[in-house]
Amino acid sequence: MIIVLKPRTTKEDITRVEQMIKRRGLDTHIVEGQEVTIIGCIGDTTKIDSKPFEVDSSVDKVMHVQEPYKLANRAFHPEDSIIDVSGVKVGGGNLALIAGPCSVESYDQVLEIAKAAKASGANLLRGGAFKPRTSPYSFQGLGLEGLNILCEVKKAVGLPIVTELMSPEHLDVFNEKVDLIQIGARNMQNFDLLKQLGQVDRPILLKRGLNATYEEWMMSAEYIMASGNENVILCERGIRTFETYTRNTLDLQSIPVLRKLTHLPVIVDPSHAGGKWWLVESMAKASIAAGADGLMVEVHNAPENALCDGAQSLKPRKYDELIKEVSQIAQVIGKSI
Amino acid sequence: MIIVLKPRTTKEDITRVEQMIKRRGLDTHIVEGQEVTIIGCIGDTTKIDSKPFEVDSSVDKVMHVQEPYKLANRAFHPEDSIIDVSGVKVGGGNLALIAGPCSVESYDQVLEIAKAAKASGANLLRGGAFKPRTSPYSFQGLGLEGLNILCEVKKAVGLPIVTELMSPEHLDVFNEKVDLIQIGARNMQNFDLLKQLGQVDRPILLKRGLNATYEEWMMSAEYIMASGNENVILCERGIRTFETYTRNTLDLQSIPVLRKLTHLPVIVDPSHAGGKWWLVESMAKASIAAGADGLMVEVHNAPENALCDGAQSLKPRKYDELIKEVSQIAQVIGKSI
Amino acid sequence: MIIVLKPRTTKEDITRVEQMIKRRGLDTHIVEGQEVTIIGCIGDTTKIDSKPFEVDSSVDKVMHVQEPYKLANRAFHPEDSIIDVSGVKVGGGNLALIAGPCSVESYDQVLEIAKAAKASGANLLRGGAFKPRTSPYSFQGLGLEGLNILCEVKKAVGLPIVTELMSPEHLDVFNEKVDLIQIGARNMQNFDLLKQLGQVDRPILLKRGLNATYEEWMMSAEYIMASGNENVILCERGIRTFETYTRNTLDLQSIPVLRKLTHLPVIVDPSHAGGKWWLVESMAKASIAAGADGLMVEVHNAPENALCDGAQSLKPRKYDELIKEVSQIAQVIGKSI
Amino acid sequence: MIIVLKPRTTKEDITRVEQMIKRRGLDTHIVEGQEVTIIGCIGDTTKIDSKPFEVDSSVDKVMHVQEPYKLANRAFHPEDSIIDVSGVKVGGGNLALIAGPCSVESYDQVLEIAKAAKASGANLLRGGAFKPRTSPYSFQGLGLEGLNILCEVKKAVGLPIVTELMSPEHLDVFNEKVDLIQIGARNMQNFDLLKQLGQVDRPILLKRGLNATYEEWMMSAEYIMASGNENVILCERGIRTFETYTRNTLDLQSIPVLRKLTHLPVIVDPSHAGGKWWLVESMAKASIAAGADGLMVEVHNAPENALCDGAQSLKPRKYDELIKEVSQIAQVIGKSI
């Protein structure tokens, strides 16, 4: 942490700021420039709150040298983390291929989709039971009934399941039944919920918030890890920009950036990003070419009758073709499915 | 709702789409253009989900004519709503002047600030007990102890209190003790929490999410209202843009826009938007000049020692000067404090 | 400028980077932290290009302590600049009230609007002769004919004129005839044009680009100033964000921020920001309350027949009412019209 | 074009709006809904300006059914356009591999890079002679001297050249010497320059503006095409978002979207988007996997000594490895280099 002082700061001011720093267990080093004086803070600053310094009347600004997270930081954990999702490995060269309908609608629907997806190569089954919807008048998901359908299909087909948790109220039932607990974009900074995920034995799939910087996303992973659960998989799903033709702008630079910042696996959800099925195929291939650790794709047998987001779902036959091409691209960059 | 069909659509396609519309209780009207055919949907479409149409193979796009919310919509409720916060009226020409520290730190601290703020003209006391913080290592607020301090200061000074609810777990205690329950920007689309606010007797202060459009903000108000609580006050607090010099970009156009879209009162929080105390004064005056129904301002007696966000707090003397000027501007535009 | 080195950097690496710094005429100061080493650069770094350092294999990042502009910087010129526009003073408490039609359409049209605007208190006349339009099929302005109309109305009514320059080709005629040369948002980083403005005797009205940071905006002013023309007035006109209900998001925090960063005057164009006439009034009042040095407002006698942007124009009667209120707000904050 | 009228509009109002439409050569069709009346405009509306309607006192909003561009629109030109750049075909399955230094520095530098790039598979040589720089104090390029160096290297190595035009002043010399004329992001809406490109025989490489929507980008291509030059190649280079870790956010969804909207080829510049060399490789592979018609990559033999943007340049050896992998991915999706 570097503290830049205002021009014309007195000796007393410098001493006062130095003491604030030392009280937090850090050492200081002063550099007097031509126009400004700066104070370098020496020691572990990853957990120091810089706000109090910003308010001091002599301080112009505070600059960070270290990232403000530790458990998620690759600097302190150089090897890729490999997360075990009920036997399916994710990260370190192992791809997660998550597929399934946006919403769970019925046992038959999920069963049919799950069988087809598995046959194409999917290794995890997704399906929404509790749905975050912008409008109170839209279909909100089947809730616990939907969760039970997923569990039955899991038994029948043998794919571990992924579904979204929206409320601390269902923490126990998710911990019991769900193989990979998804935290949606809109809850990425629901800090209360994040803290409670430390009590859970299951790995967490943490989606990027629509307006979350890489650092904020890392901080949310750090919340979960600091609460006691280090099994976090990150999921890029697009950010909000000025462009409205697509629902969100898929930020594939996040893949190499996160590879550098963190040891956690990073997968991509191309279905939610664009909001249109005809964008999914090219973005799925691009994600794997960019080095993603997996894909989460919406697959629906009858998108035109879907209760939610059918517009962004692939039919099983399209998904099958996609996975064939994805598999070839994975080979080119040294991964295999 | 208007449905635009793709070029070269057949009669059968048109009939199929028409039937989808009619099944939802709407009438149709077909306009055959030179290049495209469009279908107008006649009836109340505010609660119709347009997603299923977007998936149909003959549909190019779906355009909305009506806003998708009803209870919050000024079209169905032309007069300003006036919200009663334990005797303090907000809206319809009555200004809410909310002031207090970012975080509750001690009884003495809050008491001193509350007395000064009241003397300057504040009519509601704010203070954070549960704090949403980006980092798990930052101060998270005093929690219930902080809430109790607020209640004691309320007794001593006589100002109704405003504080943020972060979790459904505390719903009952907030309903009992808090005069105006704040929902923070990061929880604006915590739909589970929004639904539960319908069970509460207290009015809700709903902050705009960092990346929320006006329509999404209205939809979140609609969630609360549709759950049974129609007492909602909206609070503009800045949106996230590419500009990073300021913490967020305060969007004061939201004031006249919301005045047109909704009957609910709109106040402004200039402290959180900019993140710097020296931006608060000019933005507070601008907000009132633009027609806001109130201000929420951070006031701290010793910002340099604040446990959180001191950098954006005004000292009581500055707040006093501000309210004097704000009061004169309010008079110019026909309001009084 | 502070250079942060990567962990495990050798002595030789440090020496190499130090020499790169010294070759640019700066001194160095090394701070060895627990995890990282940083090098402070001592001397005037406002004109140093930091790019070459960022590429060095031992450098993690480069952080800036000083702003990278000098002539526009308030730190080197503490008093407000007052710009003289053919006798009308702008800045330092003097308000510019610029009014007129979006496009010049005819002598009679401009004359009628100019007379009305002047009677209401406007001291500068605007009107577009060359129009930047998104579509090649939209009306592109009357060009030189439009400019001549403006000049004739100037003679008749006595208001100096403001109009937009789009091409270096017209530099001479603008220098001869236009009192305040406007550079539009889309040309804010047309660096070739900016450099040529140094040869002009007239003051420049530099609009903020739709996606320009404060710093980039300052750098564009610096381009003009470094080329020899120090008479620059800045104009906030809204930035592009995710919100599409309004054309752009008016960023009024730019007023206090620029007041701090620069000595140049800052005015606001509320008409282009929102793109709707019913937003202009409240935003104009807010701008003055926030401390702006003036307003640029579109006024049209028959907006429904305007060849361009009528939707955002006020009728003369509305403008008159607005200036009355603006004038009272100006008084509250210690300015007068 | 669909015009939505306000509630409670009278017969006379409807007639007036209808006449405005008919005066523009369109037919009308009226749909009376339960709450609102809408008027469908029948005929070719691609070149109709909708602004005058938006101002009418009875009009609530105007919605567009057709895209407002024609020459660039795939709807009117279903096959891919293949652009011939001095013998190198771009589009329709033919990849442009553009490589070279950010800035032309010397004949030897460009020659060495060009030979290496050609050996790796590059088919076009890039190099900046005129450089758009944010700061007036940064290196502005060698200008015409740089252009001459490019021409000499072209003779020696046999690669057609690509370089950026910043000013109409150099139009003739570019037309004579440059094989593919680049228009940079900051000039994408320099409409005056765009219009003049119609007089040029050379194809144009049109970069996306930092804040340009797909539609605005198409409109800028339409400007060039409507002026008489139909040979336009589009180049995605990242957009500005809230994320600042990367210089810009590369929007690879633009590839499938533009494929749908236009027949023009689309290439990607991964070097400028991220601003960091270690992002280039994964983004280049992702671009090809997503279906791009080519890549523009910065290659420099000594990035640490580059006069500009070395931080985002690959060394020739890295570029060689990249093209090998890119070539394999191209094969997977049915293209060849």
Side-chain angles (χ1 to χ4, degrees), chain C residues 4 10 12 26 42 77 102 105 108-109 121 140 157 169 196 203 210 234 239 267 274-275 277 279 305:
Chain C
V4 182
T10 64
E12 293 77 51
L26 303 173
I42 298 168
H77 184 308
C102 179
E105 295 170 26
D108 289 348
Q109 169 232 24
Q140 309 273 321
V157 180
E169 181 191 342
Q196 302 200 41
L210 271 77
L234 303 162
I239 58 173
I267 71 165
W277 68 266
L279 290 169
N305 298 327

Side-chain angles (χ1 to χ4, degrees), chain D residues 14 45 82 148 178 181 189 205 207 234 244 250 302 308 329:
Chain D
I14 297 177
T45 59
I82 297 174
N148 289 333
V178 178
I181 299 175
Q189 291 195 320
L205 182 65
K207 288 199 152 188
L234 302 163
T244 56
L250 188 64
C308 128
I329 291 173

Side-chain angles (χ1 to χ4, degrees), chain A residues 167-169 192 196, chain B residues 130 144 147 163-183 187 190-205 224 227 229:
Chain A
S167 163
E169 182 192 343
D192 229 71
Q196 303 199 40
Chain B
F130 297 89
L144 290 175
L147 183 52
T163 195
E164 180 169 350
L165 175 69
M166 286 179 65
S167 165
E169 181 191 344
H170 299 117
L171 210 64
D172 288 344
V173 65
F174 269 64
N175 194 19
E176 189 196 328
K177 297 184 172 175
V178 178
D179 301 284
L180 177 58
I181 299 176
Q182 176 179 327
I183 299 299
N187 279 319
N190 182 341
F191 300 119
D192 230 71
L193 187 58
L194 297 182
K195 282 181 205 172
Q196 302 199 41
L197 295 173
Q199 308 160 15
V200 159
D201 307 313
R202 305 293 192 161
I204 307 299
L205 182 65
I224 300 171
S227 305
N229 186 347

Side-chain angles (χ1 to χ4, degrees), chain C residues 78-119:
Chain C
E79 318 78 43
D80 285 358
S81 278
I82 297 173
I83 309 295
D84 185 312
V85 183
S86 305
V88 175
K89 308 268 188 242
V90 182
N94 308 285
L95 295 187
L97 294 177
I98 309 174
C102 179
S103 287
V104 171
E105 295 170 26
S106 72
Y107 176 75
D108 289 348
Q109 169 232 24
V110 183
L111 183 71
E112 183 182 334
I113 296 170
K115 280 181 178 169
K118 190 180 180 188

Side-chain angles (χ1 to χ4, degrees), chain B residues 217-231:
Chain B
W217 192 8
M218 288 301 94
M219 294 310 284
S220 287
E222 188 86 2
Y223 254 100
I224 300 171
M225 297 172 89
S227 305
N229 186 347
E230 303 216 345
N231 294 308

Side-chain angles (χ1 to χ4, degrees), chain A residues 31-259:
Chain A
V31 182
E32 294 196 25
Q34 206 166 284
E35 309 257 353
V36 293
T37 296
I38 66 172
I39 307 179
C41 304
I42 298 168
D44 178 4
T45 58
T46 47
K47 298 184 181 179
I48 298 285
D49 193 352
S50 64
K51 291 255 170 74
F53 297 101
E54 290 164 16
V55 192
D56 189 278
S57 57
S58 306
V59 172
D60 184 34
K61 52 187 159 186
V62 180
M63 297 168 127
H64 295 272
V65 172
Q66 287 181 303
E67 287 92 11
Y69 47 93
K70 201 141 202 186
L71 300 170
N73 199 328
R74 191 179 279 272
F76 302 103
H77 184 309
E79 317 79 44
D80 285 358
S81 277
I82 297 173
I83 308 295
D84 184 313
V85 183
S86 305
V88 176
K89 308 270 188 242
V90 182
N94 308 284
L95 294 186
L97 293 178
I98 308 174
C102 178
S103 286
V104 171
E105 295 170 26
S106 72
Y107 176 75
D108 290 346
Q109 170 231 24
V110 182
L111 183 71
E112 184 183 333
I113 296 170
K115 280 181 176 169
K118 192 182 179 187
S120 299
N123 50 17
L124 291 165
L125 172 65
R126 60 149 290 156
F130 296 90
K131 301 294 307 170
R133 303 301 301 274
T134 306
S135 166
Y137 309 123
S138 297
F139 173 61
Q140 310 273 320
L142 291 182
L144 290 175
E145 187 194 335
L147 183 53
N148 289 332
I149 290 175
L150 280 173
C151 292
E152 284 174 47
V153 174
K154 175 186 169 177
K155 256 184 267 171
V157 179
L159 289 177
I161 58 174
V162 189
T163 196
E164 179 169 351
L165 175 68
M166 285 179 64
S167 163
E169 182 192 343
H170 299 117
L171 209 65
D172 289 344
V173 66
F174 269 63
N175 194 20
E176 189 197 327
K177 299 185 172 175
V178 177
D179 301 284
L180 177 58
I181 299 175
Q182 175 180 326
I183 299 299
R186 284 172 180 76
N187 279 318
M188 194 203 84
Q189 291 196 319
N190 182 341
F191 300 119
D192 229 71
L193 186 59
L194 297 181
K195 281 182 205 172
Q196 303 199 40
L197 295 173
Q199 309 159 16
V200 160
D201 307 312
R202 304 292 193 163
I204 307 299
L205 182 65
L206 181 66
K207 288 200 153 187
R208 181 181 188 180
L210 272 78
N211 69 334
T213 62
Y214 302 137
E215 188 171 296
E216 287 170 341
W217 192 7
M218 287 301 94
M219 295 309 285
S220 288
E222 187 86 1
Y223 254 100
I224 300 171
M225 298 173 89
S227 306
N229 186 346
E230 302 216 345
N231 295 308
V232 178
I233 300 172
L234 302 163
C235 180
E236 165 68 33
R237 45 78 70 221
I239 56 173
R240 180 161 280 179
T241 68
F242 61 81
E243 180 58 72
T244 56
Y245 187 95
T246 46
R247 184 157 61 178
N248 294 117
T249 297
L250 188 64
D251 175 15
L252 293 183
Q253 287 178 334
S254 65
I255 301 168
V257 168
L258 294 186
R259 190 70 73 226

Side-chain angles (χ1 to χ4, degrees), chain D residues 11 39 132 170 179 194 215 231 294 309:
Chain D
K11 288 275 173 224
I39 307 179
H170 299 117
D179 300 285
L194 297 181
E215 189 172 296
N231 294 309
D309 280 346

